């Protein structure tokens, strides 16, 4: 490594590869805008006519949150903190089982479009409105980060104008999302997952060649203390450990796959509940593949730069620029491959932002417009859905300006999901699992969880944890061939969102700074969920929750697991044909819901036939 200029620059071939990726994404949107007669109704636009199959939905689920934050943040995380991040490979299966066996059966049975419709069915309109508003805030904040991330990469490796790239990301994404609806989002996701894996693979293969095989990379990682995975320290104050990834990660990702509109909207758009469950489990393969690519890229990066860290040497200005720096460095002799990697980063962003815009449009139309403007025709609702997508695209571009103030992209995005997503997970858990939870308990539980997680989240940014809890690995400048350097590595503290707040001297740190505010960012979701559930249950019990009569369709019941009984009993007795019918996934009155899925039957049925009994069924009515 010499100077920053040694890494080369984009060529015409790189620009062509990049432009081709954008063009194909846009063409998919145009195709689904007109295919099959176009998006005639809001259900066609938002739910793909509920006709999707498992494999494309599974790849879309993978793409939705394996974004540019993953492509840029995870390799940098592994490079600086070691490969412990790979423990998420254990967490993902746990999350898929919980999502498919606890949350999916209820959502799919009710045939809803927005997950927040469930909150009105189970509790009341006010709870639904509260959940919707919190989700919108969470998604806009997160989307701002993932728009800014690839713009940063493009600026680093190509010299593109940073804000020009931000606007381009949002415009292309908003275009195909507004034109083609959910089908366009899903199929562009499928294409973009392929690009993400290809971009990662190009970097990994070239790194293996440069280093003389996978062996030297693993040796360097081992002797550099990057392969120490099994740290079982139970302290919740330690940034990374086995328990923070497994326990904290389970709550975090269940909040994403179990109740987040962006994910739920995809799998309940499947033809059958079996296809929906298959989508979640097939999605596991995609998650593992992306995680493996990201971790290997981080280890390869360490092997190449173990003696001359580009960040300490100020070749890059932030850790999140390390991955594009590596790509341009080792791929510079292969025209088109640097462009493929930047397309990989860009694909991660397009998939996530389009999913977010589509989900924001869905909850806005279903929760904020349709209940109050019931006379609107389906044609008008379709146009309103498209207009809403357009508006949210513009808002998300604007939010990227806030993201530019944040430090570590990976930690910033996970913190947002933990602080906001945890209490929402607690709210849905109250409704689905606990029949005595009432609307008063739901509201107070949600607000309590949100307040506590926001308190610890903001406190951790004002008073960052001390280096002793971060366990950053050492980096070296010994191999750099220059004589003097003004290092920006003044401590081993990870740069977080501290630029939002004035720096605080260690001597002025309050007592809470080294205890409460030092909680691992992976536990923010766990804390919010548990507080919401515990407070919600206590308030419900004190306010007469045991006296209410809840419609069993709104709860997870033993019948949702009856297919397991059939599987076990069929191994013992082969004559019980009546139980085999459960394998058709049509327990109780599901036939009606499946046949009329595009008409949102559960919501209409409850509103039309049981309105007079709502007070008795749902408790306190707003």
């Amino acid at each position: 490594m010499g100077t920053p200029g040694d890494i080369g620059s984009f060529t015409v071939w790189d620009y062509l590869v990049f432009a081709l990726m954008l063009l194909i994404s846009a063409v998919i949107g145009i195709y689904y805008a007109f295919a099959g007669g176009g998006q005639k109704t809001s259900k066609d636009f938002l739910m793909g006519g509920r006709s999707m199959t498992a494999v494309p939905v599974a790849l879309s689920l993978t793409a939705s949150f394996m974004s540019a934050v993953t492509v840029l943040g995870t390799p940098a995380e592994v490079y600086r903190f070691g490969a412990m991040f790979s423990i998420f490979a254990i967490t993902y299966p746990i999350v898929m089982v919980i999502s498919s066996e606890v949350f999916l059966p209820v959502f799919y049975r009710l045939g809803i479009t927005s997950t927040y419709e469930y909150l009105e069915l189970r509790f009341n309109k006010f709870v639904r409105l509260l959940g919707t508003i919190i989700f919108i805030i969470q998604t806009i904040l997160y989307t701002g980060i993932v728009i800014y991330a690839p713009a940063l990469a493009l600026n680093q490796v190509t010299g593109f104008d940073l804000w020009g790239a931000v606007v381009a990301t949002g415009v292309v994404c908003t275009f195909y999302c507004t034109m083609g609806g959910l089908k366009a989002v899903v199929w562009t996701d499928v294409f973009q997952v392929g690009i993400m894996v290809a971009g990662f693979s190009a970097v990994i293969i070239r790194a293996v060649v440069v280093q003389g095989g996978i062996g030297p990379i693993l040796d360097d990682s081992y002797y550099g203390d990057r392969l120490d995975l099994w740290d079982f320290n139970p302290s919740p104050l330690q940034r990374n450990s086995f328990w923070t990834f497994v326990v904290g990660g389970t709550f975090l990702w269940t909040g994403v796959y179990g109740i987040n509109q962006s994910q739920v909207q995809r799998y309940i758009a499947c033809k059958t509940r079996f296809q929906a469950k298959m989508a979640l489990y097939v999605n596991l393969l995609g998650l593992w593949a992306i995680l493996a690519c990201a971790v290997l890229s981080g280890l390869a990066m360490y092997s190449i730069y173990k003696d001359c860290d580009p960040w300490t040497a100020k070749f890059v200005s932030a850790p999140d620029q390390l991955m594009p720096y590596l790509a341009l460095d080792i791929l510079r002799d292969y025209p088109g491959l640097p462009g493929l990697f930047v397309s990989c980063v860009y694909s991660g962003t397009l998939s996530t932002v389009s999913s977010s815009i589509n989900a924001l449009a869905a909850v806005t139309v279903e929760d904020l417009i349709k209940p109050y403007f019931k006379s609107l025709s389906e044609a008008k609702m379709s146009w309103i859905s498209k207009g809403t997508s357009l508006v949210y695209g513009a808002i998300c571009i604007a939010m990227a300006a806030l993201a530019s103030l944040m430090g570590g992209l990976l930690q910033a995005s996970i913190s947002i999901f933990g602080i906001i997503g945890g209490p929402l997970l607690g709210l849905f858990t109250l409704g689905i699992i606990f029949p005595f939870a009432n609307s008063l308990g739901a509201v107070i539980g949600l607000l309590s969880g949100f307040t506590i997680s926001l308190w610890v989240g903001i406190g951790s940014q004002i008073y960052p944890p001390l280096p002793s809890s971060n366990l950053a690995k050492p980096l070296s400048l010994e191999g750099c061939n220059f004589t003097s350097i003004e290092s920006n590595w003044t401590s081993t503290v990870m740069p977080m969102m501290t630029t939002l707040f004035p720096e605080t001297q260690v001597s002025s740190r309050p007592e809470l700074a080294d205890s409460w505010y030092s909680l691992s960012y992976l536990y923010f979701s766990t804390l919010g969920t548990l507080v919401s559930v515990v407070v919600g249950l206590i308030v419900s019990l004190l306010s007469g929750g045991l006296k209410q009569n809840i419609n069993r369709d709104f709860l997870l019941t033993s019948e949702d697991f009856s297919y397991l009984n059939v599987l076990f009993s069929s191994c013992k007795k082969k004559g019980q044909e009546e139980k085999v019918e459960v394998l058709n996934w049509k327990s109780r009155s599901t036939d009606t819901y499946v046949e009329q899925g595009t008409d949102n039957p559960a919501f209409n049925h409850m509103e039309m036939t049981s309105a007079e009994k709502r007070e008795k069924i749902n408790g306190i009515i707003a």
Side-chain angles (χ1 to χ4, degrees):
M1 296 296 301
T3 64
D6 289 343
I7 64 170
S9 59
F10 252 34
T11 66
V12 173
W13 289 106
D14 297 317
Y15 285 107
L16 285 175
V17 170
F18 181 64
L20 184 62
M21 184 276 294
L22 290 179
L23 179 63
I24 292 175
S25 296
V27 167
I28 292 173
I30 295 172
Y31 172 78
Y32 281 105
F34 300 103
Q39 312 293 320
K40 294 178 180 178
T41 68
S42 61
K43 290 298 187 296
D44 289 335
F45 183 81
L46 299 173
M47 299 298 294
R50 297 189 192 270
S51 60
M52 307 301 294
T53 53
V55 173
V57 170
L59 293 174
S60 181
L61 289 171
T62 298
S64 293
F65 285 97
M66 294 294 113
S67 63
V69 173
T70 303
V71 179
L72 298 176
T74 303
E77 169 87 5
V78 172
Y79 174 75
R80 297 179 54 237
F81 294 97
M84 194 178 292
F85 201 86
S86 58
I87 293 175
F88 268 140
I90 300 173
T91 305
Y92 292 149
I94 300 171
V95 170
M96 294 311 132
V97 170
I98 295 172
S99 299
S100 65
E101 303 301 333
V102 176
F103 295 100
L104 183 151
V106 178
F107 291 147
Y108 198 92
R109 178 167 65 243
L110 296 174
I112 56 180
T113 297
S114 164
T115 53
Y116 301 96
E117 292 178 47
Y118 170 80
L119 295 179
E120 181 174 355
L121 293 173
R122 176 63 177 84
F123 298 116
N124 60 35
K125 289 182 179 179
F126 179 73
V127 179
R128 176 181 183 179
L129 184 63
L130 196 60
T132 300
I133 292 171
I134 291 176
F135 167 77
I136 289 174
I137 293 171
Q138 174 196 33
T139 306
I140 290 175
L141 284 173
Y142 177 73
T143 307
I145 292 176
V146 296
I147 289 179
Y148 182 71
L152 193 64
L154 287 172
N155 178 258
Q156 170 67 24
V157 299
T158 70
F160 276 0
D161 178 76
L162 184 61
W163 293 104
V166 166
V167 173
T169 305
V171 168
V172 171
C173 210
T174 304
F175 170 76
Y176 71 74
C177 188
T178 302
M179 290 289 288
L182 182 68
K183 285 186 178 179
V185 171
V186 168
W187 284 105
T188 50
D189 284 352
V190 171
F191 165 66
Q192 288 154 6
V193 164
I195 296 294
M196 289 171 71
V197 172
F200 265 135
S201 299
V203 171
I204 293 168
I205 291 170
R206 178 58 185 158
V208 168
V209 172
V210 168
Q211 295 301 95
I214 192 71
I217 292 176
L218 294 178
D219 286 342
D220 290 338
S221 300
Y222 176 77
Y223 290 111
D225 199 24
R226 262 60 181 182
L227 296 183
D228 183 15
L229 304 183
W230 310 110
D231 184 342
F232 291 97
N233 185 349
S235 172
L237 305 183
Q238 182 171 305
R239 182 178 184 273
N240 290 341
S241 71
F242 176 86
W243 303 113
T244 62
F245 282 110
V246 173
V247 178
T250 296
F251 280 87
L252 172 72
W253 287 105
T254 301
V256 172
Y257 279 90
I259 59 121
N260 188 282
Q261 175 68 24
S262 298
Q263 303 295 73
V264 175
Q265 187 173 340
R266 274 149 189 68
Y267 56 69
I268 62 176
C270 289
K271 292 178 180 179
T272 64
R273 192 167 75 167
F274 177 74
Q275 291 276 349
K277 288 195 174 190
M278 283 299 297
L280 277 171
Y281 289 120
V282 172
N283 156 67
L284 258 180
L285 302 177
L287 290 178
W288 281 332
I290 298 291
L291 180 65
C293 287
V295 171
L296 281 174
S297 296
L299 295 178
M301 187 191 305
Y302 174 73
S303 179
I304 291 172
Y305 296 134
K306 64 183 181 298
D307 295 324
C308 184
D309 170 39
W311 182 43
T312 313
K314 287 193 172 181
F315 293 167
V316 296
S317 60
D320 301 303
Q321 296 175 6
L322 286 167
M323 190 63 185
Y325 181 91
L326 171 69
L328 207 60
D329 186 10
I330 65 177
L331 298 175
R332 58 187 167 183
D333 296 328
Y334 299 88
L337 289 187
L340 177 63
F341 174 75
V342 174
S343 297
C344 162
V345 178
Y346 215 93
S347 291
T349 287
L350 291 174
S351 62
T352 302
V353 175
S354 61
S355 300
S356 297
I357 291 173
N358 195 247
L360 287 166
V363 299
T364 301
V365 169
E366 293 294 327
D367 300 323
L368 302 180
I369 296 177
K370 189 175 286 187
Y372 305 101
F373 299 94
K374 297 181 180 179
S375 61
L376 291 173
S377 65
E378 276 297 331
K380 287 183 179 178
M381 291 304 299
S382 177
W383 282 107
I384 290 173
S385 299
K386 293 179 180 180
T388 306
S389 295
L390 195 61
V391 170
Y392 275 121
I395 293 173
C396 290
I397 293 172
M399 284 306 301
L402 176 62
S404 68
L405 300 174
M406 298 181 182
L409 291 171
L410 184 70
Q411 181 158 334
S413 61
I414 288 179
S415 295
I416 287 173
F417 266 107
I419 293 169
I420 303 178
L424 283 176
L425 175 61
L427 176 63
F428 281 94
T429 302
L430 276 174
I432 289 175
I433 296 181
F434 300 100
F436 55 87
N438 61 21
S439 55
L440 181 63
V443 171
I444 296 179
L446 174 64
L447 294 178
S448 299
F450 187 58
T451 301
I452 294 294
S453 59
L454 196 62
W455 176 22
V456 68
I458 293 178
S460 69
Q461 308 309 323
I462 300 175
Y463 303 102
L466 294 175
S468 58
S469 66
N470 283 329
L471 304 180
K473 307 297 183 181
L475 296 170
S476 172
L477 294 175
E478 292 178 2
C480 296
N481 57 353
F482 49 84
T483 56
S484 64
I485 233 179
E486 181 184 354
S487 174
N488 68 351
W489 183 268
T490 56
S491 73
T492 54
V493 181
M494 179 176 182
M496 302 189 304
M497 294 182 284
T498 50
T499 50
L500 289 172
F501 307 98
E503 292 188 8
T504 305
Q505 298 298 323
V506 174
S507 59
S508 65
R509 289 167 67 89
E511 280 188 33
L512 287 177
D514 297 326
S515 54
W516 179 244
Y517 296 152
S518 293
L519 183 72
S520 171
Y521 70 102
L522 287 168
Y523 279 134
F524 290 172
S525 181
T526 307
L527 178 66
T529 302
L530 294 179
V531 170
S532 295
V533 170
V534 172
V535 172
L537 291 178
I538 292 172
V539 173
S540 296
L541 289 172
L542 294 176
S543 58
L546 291 172
K547 298 177 181 179
Q548 55 180 1
N549 181 22
I550 299 297
N551 186 324
R552 293 177 71 248
D553 279 340
F554 305 155
L555 303 170
L556 182 72
T557 67
S558 58
E559 292 182 36
D560 290 310
F561 301 100
S562 55
Y563 68 95
L564 293 175
N565 296 331
V566 173
L567 292 177
F568 289 132
S569 63
S570 63
C571 295
K572 299 177 181 179
K573 299 179 182 180
K574 292 188 176 181
Q576 302 178 353
E577 297 180 1
E578 68 278 4
K579 290 186 179 180
V580 181
E581 294 179 4
V582 182
L583 290 174
N584 292 327
W585 308 103
K586 296 179 180 178
S587 60
R588 295 196 292 278
S589 54
T590 311
D591 293 357
T592 305
Y593 300 137
V594 172
E595 292 171 5
Q596 302 175 7
T598 56
D599 294 325
N600 197 1
F603 185 78
N604 293 336
H605 171 73
M606 286 303 301
E607 289 293 318
M608 294 173 64
T609 64
S610 301
E612 70 279 4
K613 299 180 181 178
R614 295 274 313 262
E615 185 169 354
K616 181 177 179 181
I617 293 177
N618 294 334
I620 301 170
I621 302 297

